[in-house]
Every structure is written in C-alpha cells, then in structure tokens.
PDB file of all heavy atoms in Angstrom:
ATOM      1  N   PHE A1059      -0.141 -16.475  -8.344  1.00 67.00           N
ATOM      2  CA  PHE A1059       0.162 -15.135  -8.826  1.00 67.00           C
ATOM      3  C   PHE A1059       0.613 -14.236  -7.682  1.00 67.00           C
ATOM      4  O   PHE A1059       0.347 -13.040  -7.682  1.00 67.00           O
ATOM      5  CB  PHE A1059      -1.058 -14.523  -9.525  1.00 67.00           C
ATOM      6  CG  PHE A1059      -1.340 -15.109 -10.876  1.00 67.00           C
ATOM      7  CD1 PHE A1059      -2.291 -16.103 -11.029  1.00 67.00           C
ATOM      8  CD2 PHE A1059      -0.649 -14.683 -11.998  1.00 67.00           C
ATOM      9  CE1 PHE A1059      -2.560 -16.644 -12.274  1.00 67.00           C
ATOM     10  CE2 PHE A1059      -0.899 -15.223 -13.242  1.00 67.00           C
ATOM     11  CZ  PHE A1059      -1.867 -16.211 -13.390  1.00 67.00           C
ATOM     12  N   ALA A1060       1.294 -14.817  -6.706  1.00 57.00           N
ATOM     13  CA  ALA A1060       1.684 -14.063  -5.508  1.00 57.00           C
ATOM     14  C   ALA A1060       2.511 -12.828  -5.841  1.00 57.00           C
ATOM     15  O   ALA A1060       2.423 -11.811  -5.162  1.00 57.00           O
ATOM     16  CB  ALA A1060       2.456 -14.966  -4.547  1.00 57.00           C
ATOM     17  N   GLU A1061       3.324 -12.889  -6.884  1.00 54.00           N
ATOM     18  CA  GLU A1061       4.152 -11.739  -7.243  1.00 54.00           C
ATOM     19  C   GLU A1061       3.299 -10.547  -7.652  1.00 54.00           C
ATOM     20  O   GLU A1061       3.673  -9.397  -7.450  1.00 54.00           O
ATOM     21  CB  GLU A1061       5.101 -12.112  -8.389  1.00 54.00           C
ATOM     22  CG  GLU A1061       6.343 -12.830  -7.935  1.00 54.00           C
ATOM     23  CD  GLU A1061       7.178 -11.990  -6.980  1.00 54.00           C
ATOM     24  OE1 GLU A1061       7.387 -10.794  -7.239  1.00 54.00           O
ATOM     25  OE2 GLU A1061       7.609 -12.540  -5.957  1.00 54.00           O
ATOM     26  N   GLU A1062       2.127 -10.831  -8.275  1.00 55.00           N
ATOM     27  CA  GLU A1062       1.255  -9.748  -8.714  1.00 55.00           C
ATOM     28  C   GLU A1062       0.354  -9.239  -7.597  1.00 55.00           C
ATOM     29  O   GLU A1062      -0.309  -8.224  -7.745  1.00 55.00           O
ATOM     30  CB  GLU A1062       0.366 -10.215  -9.885  1.00 55.00           C
ATOM     31  CG  GLU A1062       1.103 -10.362 -11.215  1.00 55.00           C
ATOM     32  CD  GLU A1062       1.860 -11.672 -11.343  1.00 55.00           C
ATOM     33  OE1 GLU A1062       1.782 -12.489 -10.408  1.00 55.00           O
ATOM     34  OE2 GLU A1062       2.519 -11.859 -12.367  1.00 55.00           O
ATOM     35  N   ILE A1063       0.312  -9.961  -6.469  1.00 59.00           N
ATOM     36  CA  ILE A1063      -0.535  -9.564  -5.355  1.00 59.00           C
ATOM     37  C   ILE A1063       0.274  -8.676  -4.417  1.00 59.00           C
ATOM     38  O   ILE A1063       1.316  -9.061  -3.923  1.00 59.00           O
ATOM     39  CB  ILE A1063      -1.058 -10.794  -4.593  1.00 59.00           C
ATOM     40  CG1 ILE A1063      -1.943 -11.636  -5.520  1.00 59.00           C
ATOM     41  CG2 ILE A1063      -1.859 -10.388  -3.365  1.00 59.00           C
ATOM     42  CD1 ILE A1063      -2.324 -12.976  -4.951  1.00 59.00           C
ATOM     43  N   SER A1064      -0.209  -7.477  -4.199  1.00 54.00           N
ATOM     44  CA  SER A1064       0.506  -6.518  -3.365  1.00 54.00           C
ATOM     45  C   SER A1064       0.549  -6.972  -1.911  1.00 54.00           C
ATOM     46  O   SER A1064      -0.422  -7.513  -1.389  1.00 54.00           O
ATOM     47  CB  SER A1064      -0.177  -5.147  -3.453  1.00 54.00           C
ATOM     48  OG  SER A1064       0.336  -4.273  -2.479  1.00 54.00           O
ATOM     49  N   ASP A1065       1.684  -6.714  -1.254  1.00 53.00           N
ATOM     50  CA  ASP A1065       1.766  -6.974   0.182  1.00 53.00           C
ATOM     51  C   ASP A1065       0.732  -6.147   0.941  1.00 53.00           C
ATOM     52  O   ASP A1065       0.323  -6.502   2.040  1.00 53.00           O
ATOM     53  CB  ASP A1065       3.166  -6.642   0.705  1.00 53.00           C
ATOM     54  CG  ASP A1065       4.245  -7.463   0.018  1.00 53.00           C
ATOM     55  OD1 ASP A1065       3.916  -8.535  -0.515  1.00 53.00           O
ATOM     56  OD2 ASP A1065       5.401  -7.019   0.001  1.00 53.00           O
ATOM     57  N   GLU A1066       0.327  -5.021   0.351  1.00 57.00           N
ATOM     58  CA  GLU A1066      -0.646  -4.144   0.993  1.00 57.00           C
ATOM     59  C   GLU A1066      -2.057  -4.717   0.938  1.00 57.00           C
ATOM     60  O   GLU A1066      -2.998  -4.094   1.431  1.00 57.00           O
ATOM     61  CB  GLU A1066      -0.617  -2.760   0.343  1.00 57.00           C
ATOM     62  CG  GLU A1066       0.725  -2.044   0.519  1.00 57.00           C
ATOM     63  CD  GLU A1066       0.781  -0.715  -0.186  1.00 57.00           C
ATOM     64  OE1 GLU A1066      -0.207  -0.358  -0.847  1.00 57.00           O
ATOM     65  OE2 GLU A1066       1.815  -0.031  -0.079  1.00 57.00           O
ATOM     66  N   SER A1067      -2.207  -5.904   0.327  1.00 58.00           N
ATOM     67  CA  SER A1067      -3.514  -6.559   0.307  1.00 58.00           C
ATOM     68  C   SER A1067      -4.007  -6.843   1.719  1.00 58.00           C
ATOM     69  O   SER A1067      -5.207  -6.892   1.962  1.00 58.00           O
ATOM     70  CB  SER A1067      -3.434  -7.887  -0.466  1.00 58.00           C
ATOM     71  OG  SER A1067      -3.092  -7.655  -1.810  1.00 58.00           O
ATOM     72  N   PHE A1068      -3.078  -7.034   2.646  1.00 60.00           N
ATOM     73  CA  PHE A1068      -3.429  -7.393   4.013  1.00 60.00           C
ATOM     74  C   PHE A1068      -3.562  -6.139   4.858  1.00 60.00           C
ATOM     75  O   PHE A1068      -2.754  -5.215   4.752  1.00 60.00           O
ATOM     76  CB  PHE A1068      -2.363  -8.313   4.613  1.00 60.00           C
ATOM     77  CG  PHE A1068      -2.344  -9.671   3.998  1.00 60.00           C
ATOM     78  CD1 PHE A1068      -1.670  -9.906   2.818  1.00 60.00           C
ATOM     79  CD2 PHE A1068      -3.029 -10.722   4.580  1.00 60.00           C
ATOM     80  CE1 PHE A1068      -1.665 -11.162   2.237  1.00 60.00           C
ATOM     81  CE2 PHE A1068      -3.024 -11.980   4.005  1.00 60.00           C
ATOM     82  CZ  PHE A1068      -2.344 -12.195   2.837  1.00 60.00           C
ATOM     83  N   GLY A1069      -4.595  -6.129   5.696  1.00 59.00           N
ATOM     84  CA  GLY A1069      -4.799  -4.999   6.580  1.00 59.00           C
ATOM     85  C   GLY A1069      -3.774  -4.997   7.699  1.00 59.00           C
ATOM     86  O   GLY A1069      -3.628  -5.969   8.422  1.00 59.00           O
ATOM     87  N   GLY A1070      -3.040  -3.901   7.829  1.00 67.00           N
ATOM     88  CA  GLY A1070      -2.091  -3.781   8.911  1.00 67.00           C
ATOM     89  C   GLY A1070      -0.664  -4.040   8.476  1.00 67.00           C
ATOM     90  O   GLY A1070      -0.387  -4.910   7.644  1.00 67.00           O
ATOM     91  N   TYR A1071       0.259  -3.289   9.020  1.00 79.00           N
ATOM     92  CA  TYR A1071       1.663  -3.374   8.632  1.00 79.00           C
ATOM     93  C   TYR A1071       2.259  -4.740   8.951  1.00 79.00           C
ATOM     94  O   TYR A1071       3.002  -5.312   8.148  1.00 79.00           O
ATOM     95  CB  TYR A1071       2.449  -2.269   9.337  1.00 79.00           C
ATOM     96  CG  TYR A1071       3.915  -2.247   9.016  1.00 79.00           C
ATOM     97  CD1 TYR A1071       4.356  -2.004   7.705  1.00 79.00           C
ATOM     98  CD2 TYR A1071       4.871  -2.462  10.001  1.00 79.00           C
ATOM     99  CE1 TYR A1071       5.702  -1.974   7.397  1.00 79.00           C
ATOM    100  CE2 TYR A1071       6.228  -2.438   9.706  1.00 79.00           C
ATOM    101  CZ  TYR A1071       6.638  -2.199   8.410  1.00 79.00           C
ATOM    102  OH  TYR A1071       7.982  -2.172   8.092  1.00 79.00           O
ATOM    103  N   GLU A1072       1.949  -5.284  10.119  1.00 82.00           N
ATOM    104  CA  GLU A1072       2.513  -6.580  10.491  1.00 82.00           C
ATOM    105  C   GLU A1072       2.076  -7.663   9.517  1.00 82.00           C
ATOM    106  O   GLU A1072       2.885  -8.494   9.093  1.00 82.00           O
ATOM    107  CB  GLU A1072       2.089  -6.948  11.918  1.00 82.00           C
ATOM    108  CG  GLU A1072       2.797  -6.151  12.996  1.00 82.00           C
ATOM    109  CD  GLU A1072       2.485  -6.675  14.380  1.00 82.00           C
ATOM    110  OE1 GLU A1072       1.570  -7.522  14.514  1.00 82.00           O
ATOM    111  OE2 GLU A1072       3.158  -6.239  15.334  1.00 82.00           O
ATOM    112  N   GLN A1073       0.775  -7.674   9.155  1.00 77.00           N
ATOM    113  CA  GLN A1073       0.271  -8.688   8.229  1.00 77.00           C
ATOM    114  C   GLN A1073       0.943  -8.559   6.863  1.00 77.00           C
ATOM    115  O   GLN A1073       1.217  -9.556   6.196  1.00 77.00           O
ATOM    116  CB  GLN A1073      -1.245  -8.577   8.086  1.00 77.00           C
ATOM    117  CG  GLN A1073      -2.018  -8.888   9.350  1.00 77.00           C
ATOM    118  CD  GLN A1073      -2.358  -7.636  10.127  1.00 77.00           C
ATOM    119  OE1 GLN A1073      -1.545  -6.722  10.236  1.00 77.00           O
ATOM    120  NE2 GLN A1073      -3.552  -7.589  10.676  1.00 77.00           N
ATOM    121  N   GLN A1074       1.207  -7.317   6.442  1.00 79.00           N
ATOM    122  CA  GLN A1074       1.888  -7.101   5.160  1.00 79.00           C
ATOM    123  C   GLN A1074       3.300  -7.672   5.194  1.00 79.00           C
ATOM    124  O   GLN A1074       3.764  -8.293   4.227  1.00 79.00           O
ATOM    125  CB  GLN A1074       1.923  -5.603   4.847  1.00 79.00           C
ATOM    126  CG  GLN A1074       0.565  -4.994   4.575  1.00 79.00           C
ATOM    127  CD  GLN A1074       0.583  -3.484   4.571  1.00 79.00           C
ATOM    128  OE1 GLN A1074       1.634  -2.878   4.414  1.00 79.00           O
ATOM    129  NE2 GLN A1074      -0.567  -2.868   4.762  1.00 79.00           N
ATOM    130  N   LEU A1075       3.991  -7.490   6.324  1.00 86.00           N
ATOM    131  CA  LEU A1075       5.339  -8.042   6.460  1.00 86.00           C
ATOM    132  C   LEU A1075       5.319  -9.564   6.459  1.00 86.00           C
ATOM    133  O   LEU A1075       6.184 -10.207   5.848  1.00 86.00           O
ATOM    134  CB  LEU A1075       5.985  -7.532   7.753  1.00 86.00           C
ATOM    135  CG  LEU A1075       6.405  -6.062   7.785  1.00 86.00           C
ATOM    136  CD1 LEU A1075       6.961  -5.714   9.153  1.00 86.00           C
ATOM    137  CD2 LEU A1075       7.433  -5.746   6.705  1.00 86.00           C
ATOM    138  N   VAL A1076       4.330 -10.150   7.138  1.00 86.00           N
ATOM    139  CA  VAL A1076       4.222 -11.614   7.175  1.00 86.00           C
ATOM    140  C   VAL A1076       4.008 -12.150   5.768  1.00 86.00           C
ATOM    141  O   VAL A1076       4.653 -13.124   5.347  1.00 86.00           O
ATOM    142  CB  VAL A1076       3.084 -12.059   8.110  1.00 86.00           C
ATOM    143  CG1 VAL A1076       2.823 -13.554   7.962  1.00 86.00           C
ATOM    144  CG2 VAL A1076       3.442 -11.747   9.558  1.00 86.00           C
ATOM    145  N   PHE A1077       3.099 -11.531   5.016  1.00 82.00           N
ATOM    146  CA  PHE A1077       2.832 -11.980   3.647  1.00 82.00           C
ATOM    147  C   PHE A1077       4.085 -11.872   2.785  1.00 82.00           C
ATOM    148  O   PHE A1077       4.422 -12.775   2.022  1.00 82.00           O
ATOM    149  CB  PHE A1077       1.693 -11.155   3.054  1.00 82.00           C
ATOM    150  CG  PHE A1077       1.235 -11.629   1.702  1.00 82.00           C
ATOM    151  CD1 PHE A1077       0.587 -12.840   1.564  1.00 82.00           C
ATOM    152  CD2 PHE A1077       1.447 -10.858   0.573  1.00 82.00           C
ATOM    153  CE1 PHE A1077       0.158 -13.284   0.320  1.00 82.00           C
ATOM    154  CE2 PHE A1077       1.023 -11.295  -0.674  1.00 82.00           C
ATOM    155  CZ  PHE A1077       0.373 -12.499  -0.795  1.00 82.00           C
ATOM    156  N   ALA A1078       4.814 -10.754   2.923  1.00 85.00           N
ATOM    157  CA  ALA A1078       6.054 -10.573   2.160  1.00 85.00           C
ATOM    158  C   ALA A1078       7.082 -11.629   2.540  1.00 85.00           C
ATOM    159  O   ALA A1078       7.786 -12.172   1.677  1.00 85.00           O
ATOM    160  CB  ALA A1078       6.609  -9.169   2.402  1.00 85.00           C
ATOM    161  N   ALA A1079       7.178 -11.931   3.820  1.00 90.00           N
ATOM    162  CA  ALA A1079       8.135 -12.942   4.277  1.00 90.00           C
ATOM    163  C   ALA A1079       7.780 -14.324   3.747  1.00 90.00           C
ATOM    164  O   ALA A1079       8.659 -15.082   3.315  1.00 90.00           O
ATOM    165  CB  ALA A1079       8.183 -12.955   5.807  1.00 90.00           C
ATOM    166  N   LEU A1080       6.492 -14.662   3.762  1.00 88.00           N
ATOM    167  CA  LEU A1080       6.072 -15.971   3.261  1.00 88.00           C
ATOM    168  C   LEU A1080       6.285 -16.081   1.750  1.00 88.00           C
ATOM    169  O   LEU A1080       6.653 -17.147   1.250  1.00 88.00           O
ATOM    170  CB  LEU A1080       4.607 -16.219   3.621  1.00 88.00           C
ATOM    171  CG  LEU A1080       4.321 -16.385   5.123  1.00 88.00           C
ATOM    172  CD1 LEU A1080       2.836 -16.540   5.368  1.00 88.00           C
ATOM    173  CD2 LEU A1080       5.078 -17.571   5.699  1.00 88.00           C
ATOM    174  N   LYS A1081       6.046 -14.994   1.029  1.00 85.00           N
ATOM    175  CA  LYS A1081       6.342 -15.002  -0.408  1.00 85.00           C
ATOM    176  C   LYS A1081       7.829 -15.259  -0.649  1.00 85.00           C
ATOM    177  O   LYS A1081       8.210 -16.030  -1.531  1.00 85.00           O
ATOM    178  CB  LYS A1081       5.948 -13.667  -1.048  1.00 85.00           C
ATOM    179  CG  LYS A1081       4.474 -13.516  -1.339  1.00 85.00           C
ATOM    180  CD  LYS A1081       4.193 -12.502  -2.434  1.00 85.00           C
ATOM    181  CE  LYS A1081       4.617 -11.114  -2.089  1.00 85.00           C
ATOM    182  NZ  LYS A1081       4.228 -10.128  -3.128  1.00 85.00           N
ATOM    183  N   TYR A1082       8.643 -14.598   0.147  1.00 90.00           N
ATOM    184  CA  TYR A1082      10.096 -14.763   0.005  1.00 90.00           C
ATOM    185  C   TYR A1082      10.502 -16.212   0.265  1.00 90.00           C
ATOM    186  O   TYR A1082      11.255 -16.809  -0.517  1.00 90.00           O
ATOM    187  CB  TYR A1082      10.802 -13.819   0.975  1.00 90.00           C
ATOM    188  CG  TYR A1082      12.282 -14.064   1.098  1.00 90.00           C
ATOM    189  CD1 TYR A1082      13.164 -13.587   0.136  1.00 90.00           C
ATOM    190  CD2 TYR A1082      12.801 -14.768   2.187  1.00 90.00           C
ATOM    191  CE1 TYR A1082      14.534 -13.821   0.246  1.00 90.00           C
ATOM    192  CE2 TYR A1082      14.158 -14.994   2.310  1.00 90.00           C
ATOM    193  CZ  TYR A1082      15.018 -14.523   1.330  1.00 90.00           C
ATOM    194  OH  TYR A1082      16.375 -14.755   1.431  1.00 90.00           O
ATOM    195  N   ILE A1083      10.004 -16.809   1.351  1.00 92.00           N
ATOM    196  CA  ILE A1083      10.349 -18.203   1.666  1.00 92.00           C
ATOM    197  C   ILE A1083       9.831 -19.136   0.579  1.00 92.00           C
ATOM    198  O   ILE A1083      10.536 -20.064   0.152  1.00 92.00           O
ATOM    199  CB  ILE A1083       9.759 -18.597   3.042  1.00 92.00           C
ATOM    200  CG1 ILE A1083      10.446 -17.818   4.160  1.00 92.00           C
ATOM    201  CG2 ILE A1083       9.914 -20.105   3.276  1.00 92.00           C
ATOM    202  CD1 ILE A1083       9.792 -17.993   5.519  1.00 92.00           C
ATOM    203  N   GLN A1084       8.616 -18.912   0.133  1.00 86.00           N
ATOM    204  CA  GLN A1084       8.013 -19.770  -0.877  1.00 86.00           C
ATOM    205  C   GLN A1084       8.836 -19.793  -2.165  1.00 86.00           C
ATOM    206  O   GLN A1084       9.009 -20.831  -2.786  1.00 86.00           O
ATOM    207  CB  GLN A1084       6.584 -19.287  -1.179  1.00 86.00           C
ATOM    208  CG  GLN A1084       5.812 -20.162  -2.151  1.00 86.00           C
ATOM    209  CD  GLN A1084       5.508 -21.538  -1.597  1.00 86.00           C
ATOM    210  OE1 GLN A1084       5.372 -21.710  -0.384  1.00 86.00           O
ATOM    211  NE2 GLN A1084       5.417 -22.520  -2.459  1.00 86.00           N
ATOM    212  N   GLU A1085       9.363 -18.644  -2.543  1.00 87.00           N
ATOM    213  CA  GLU A1085      10.034 -18.522  -3.841  1.00 87.00           C
ATOM    214  C   GLU A1085      11.544 -18.726  -3.773  1.00 87.00           C
ATOM    215  O   GLU A1085      12.157 -19.144  -4.758  1.00 87.00           O
ATOM    216  CB  GLU A1085       9.736 -17.131  -4.429  1.00 87.00           C
ATOM    217  CG  GLU A1085       8.253 -16.921  -4.732  1.00 87.00           C
ATOM    218  CD  GLU A1085       7.885 -15.463  -4.840  1.00 87.00           C
ATOM    219  OE1 GLU A1085       8.799 -14.614  -4.848  1.00 87.00           O
ATOM    220  OE2 GLU A1085       6.674 -15.162  -4.913  1.00 87.00           O
ATOM    221  N   HIS A1086      12.165 -18.469  -2.612  1.00 91.00           N
ATOM    222  CA  HIS A1086      13.622 -18.487  -2.526  1.00 91.00           C
ATOM    223  C   HIS A1086      14.143 -19.517  -1.522  1.00 91.00           C
ATOM    224  O   HIS A1086      15.290 -19.415  -1.064  1.00 91.00           O
ATOM    225  CB  HIS A1086      14.131 -17.092  -2.127  1.00 91.00           C
ATOM    226  CG  HIS A1086      13.727 -16.007  -3.068  1.00 91.00           C
ATOM    227  ND1 HIS A1086      14.309 -15.829  -4.297  1.00 91.00           N
ATOM    228  CD2 HIS A1086      12.764 -15.044  -2.966  1.00 91.00           C
ATOM    229  CE1 HIS A1086      13.751 -14.795  -4.913  1.00 91.00           C
ATOM    230  NE2 HIS A1086      12.803 -14.308  -4.126  1.00 91.00           N
ATOM    231  N   TYR A1087      13.323 -20.516  -1.206  1.00 93.00           N
ATOM    232  CA  TYR A1087      13.656 -21.454  -0.138  1.00 93.00           C
ATOM    233  C   TYR A1087      15.013 -22.149  -0.284  1.00 93.00           C
ATOM    234  O   TYR A1087      15.666 -22.431   0.733  1.00 93.00           O
ATOM    235  CB  TYR A1087      12.550 -22.509   0.021  1.00 93.00           C
ATOM    236  CG  TYR A1087      12.357 -23.393  -1.177  1.00 93.00           C
ATOM    237  CD1 TYR A1087      13.047 -24.585  -1.304  1.00 93.00           C
ATOM    238  CD2 TYR A1087      11.494 -23.031  -2.200  1.00 93.00           C
ATOM    239  CE1 TYR A1087      12.895 -25.400  -2.415  1.00 93.00           C
ATOM    240  CE2 TYR A1087      11.321 -23.836  -3.309  1.00 93.00           C
ATOM    241  CZ  TYR A1087      12.024 -25.011  -3.417  1.00 93.00           C
ATOM    242  OH  TYR A1087      11.864 -25.794  -4.519  1.00 93.00           O
ATOM    243  N   PRO A1088      15.523 -22.450  -1.477  1.00 95.00           N
ATOM    244  CA  PRO A1088      16.804 -23.187  -1.507  1.00 95.00           C
ATOM    245  C   PRO A1088      17.949 -22.415  -0.868  1.00 95.00           C
ATOM    246  O   PRO A1088      18.848 -23.021  -0.266  1.00 95.00           O
ATOM    247  CB  PRO A1088      17.045 -23.410  -3.009  1.00 95.00           C
ATOM    248  CG  PRO A1088      15.677 -23.361  -3.619  1.00 95.00           C
ATOM    249  CD  PRO A1088      14.958 -22.302  -2.832  1.00 95.00           C
ATOM    250  N   ASP A1089      17.949 -21.080  -1.008  1.00 95.00           N
ATOM    251  CA  ASP A1089      19.058 -20.305  -0.444  1.00 95.00           C
ATOM    252  C   ASP A1089      18.570 -19.093   0.343  1.00 95.00           C
ATOM    253  O   ASP A1089      19.284 -18.098   0.483  1.00 95.00           O
ATOM    254  CB  ASP A1089      20.012 -19.853  -1.556  1.00 95.00           C
ATOM    255  CG  ASP A1089      19.284 -19.104  -2.670  1.00 95.00           C
ATOM    256  OD1 ASP A1089      18.062 -18.853  -2.540  1.00 95.00           O
ATOM    257  OD2 ASP A1089      19.942 -18.743  -3.666  1.00 95.00           O
ATOM    258  N   ALA A1090      17.352 -19.168   0.875  1.00 94.00           N
ATOM    259  CA  ALA A1090      16.794 -18.051   1.640  1.00 94.00           C
ATOM    260  C   ALA A1090      17.550 -17.868   2.949  1.00 94.00           C
ATOM    261  O   ALA A1090      18.030 -18.829   3.547  1.00 94.00           O
ATOM    262  CB  ALA A1090      15.308 -18.298   1.919  1.00 94.00           C
ATOM    263  N   SER A1091      17.620 -16.612   3.407  1.00 95.00           N
ATOM    264  CA  SER A1091      18.229 -16.329   4.706  1.00 95.00           C
ATOM    265  C   SER A1091      17.455 -15.212   5.384  1.00 95.00           C
ATOM    266  O   SER A1091      16.915 -14.321   4.721  1.00 95.00           O
ATOM    267  CB  SER A1091      19.696 -15.918   4.545  1.00 95.00           C
ATOM    268  OG  SER A1091      19.800 -14.591   4.058  1.00 95.00           O
ATOM    269  N   LEU A1092      17.407 -15.275   6.699  1.00 95.00           N
ATOM    270  CA  LEU A1092      16.701 -14.250   7.466  1.00 95.00           C
ATOM    271  C   LEU A1092      17.370 -12.893   7.290  1.00 95.00           C
ATOM    272  O   LEU A1092      16.688 -11.867   7.206  1.00 95.00           O
ATOM    273  CB  LEU A1092      16.667 -14.650   8.945  1.00 95.00           C
ATOM    274  CG  LEU A1092      15.909 -13.704   9.888  1.00 95.00           C
ATOM    275  CD1 LEU A1092      14.465 -13.522   9.452  1.00 95.00           C
ATOM    276  CD2 LEU A1092      15.972 -14.232  11.316  1.00 95.00           C
ATOM    277  N   ASP A1093      18.704 -12.857   7.219  1.00 96.00           N
ATOM    278  CA  ASP A1093      19.413 -11.590   7.033  1.00 96.00           C
ATOM    279  C   ASP A1093      19.015 -10.924   5.724  1.00 96.00           C
ATOM    280  O   ASP A1093      18.770  -9.709   5.676  1.00 96.00           O
ATOM    281  CB  ASP A1093      20.927 -11.824   7.049  1.00 96.00           C
ATOM    282  CG  ASP A1093      21.459 -12.128   8.447  1.00 96.00           C
ATOM    283  OD1 ASP A1093      20.767 -11.794   9.422  1.00 96.00           O
ATOM    284  OD2 ASP A1093      22.566 -12.708   8.543  1.00 96.00           O
ATOM    285  N   GLU A1094      18.965 -11.717   4.655  1.00 96.00           N
ATOM    286  CA  GLU A1094      18.602 -11.168   3.345  1.00 96.00           C
ATOM    287  C   GLU A1094      17.167 -10.645   3.358  1.00 96.00           C
ATOM    288  O   GLU A1094      16.874  -9.565   2.833  1.00 96.00           O
ATOM    289  CB  GLU A1094      18.757 -12.235   2.265  1.00 96.00           C
ATOM    290  CG  GLU A1094      18.439 -11.729   0.856  1.00 96.00           C
ATOM    291  CD  GLU A1094      18.620 -12.810  -0.183  1.00 96.00           C
ATOM    292  OE1 GLU A1094      17.830 -13.789  -0.161  1.00 96.00           O
ATOM    293  OE2 GLU A1094      19.536 -12.688  -1.018  1.00 96.00           O
ATOM    294  N   LEU A1095      16.240 -11.414   3.952  1.00 94.00           N
ATOM    295  CA  LEU A1095      14.846 -11.006   4.039  1.00 94.00           C
ATOM    296  C   LEU A1095      14.708  -9.699   4.802  1.00 94.00           C
ATOM    297  O   LEU A1095      14.034  -8.764   4.342  1.00 94.00           O
ATOM    298  CB  LEU A1095      14.020 -12.102   4.709  1.00 94.00           C
ATOM    299  CG  LEU A1095      12.580 -11.736   5.083  1.00 94.00           C
ATOM    300  CD1 LEU A1095      11.759 -11.425   3.850  1.00 94.00           C
ATOM    301  CD2 LEU A1095      11.937 -12.863   5.888  1.00 94.00           C
TER     302      LEU A1095
END
C-alpha cells in the first residue's frame, strides 16, 4: 500500500525523498529515469 503511505511518514526531509524515490523505482522501473524523478 505504498501509494497510500505518505512520504512524510519518515522523519526528516532526506528520508522522505529517499522513500519517494524508492516508491518511484519500485513502481516505474521499466521506464524510470533520474531526470523524471
């Protein structure tokens, strides 16, 4: 249920960005790009 879990679940801005990035890779891996992220 990662989509329903807020990135703000993690303490600290950096941790929130990491969680958002991992969600993006997990869900969009076939055509994911660092520029898009």
Side-chain angles (χ1 to χ4, degrees):
F1059 287 98
E1061 278 299 315
E1062 286 81 2
I1063 297 170
S1064 169
D1065 300 338
E1066 297 177 358
S1067 297
F1068 291 83
Y1071 180 63
E1072 287 188 349
Q1073 295 95 320
Q1074 293 167 20
L1075 288 177
V1076 170
F1077 186 68
L1080 293 177
K1081 281 203 297 185
Y1082 170 80
I1083 293 172
Q1084 184 67 29
E1085 296 160 9
H1086 302 285
Y1087 63 91
D1089 54 5
S1091 75
L1092 182 57
D1093 287 340
E1094 182 179 67
L1095 170 64

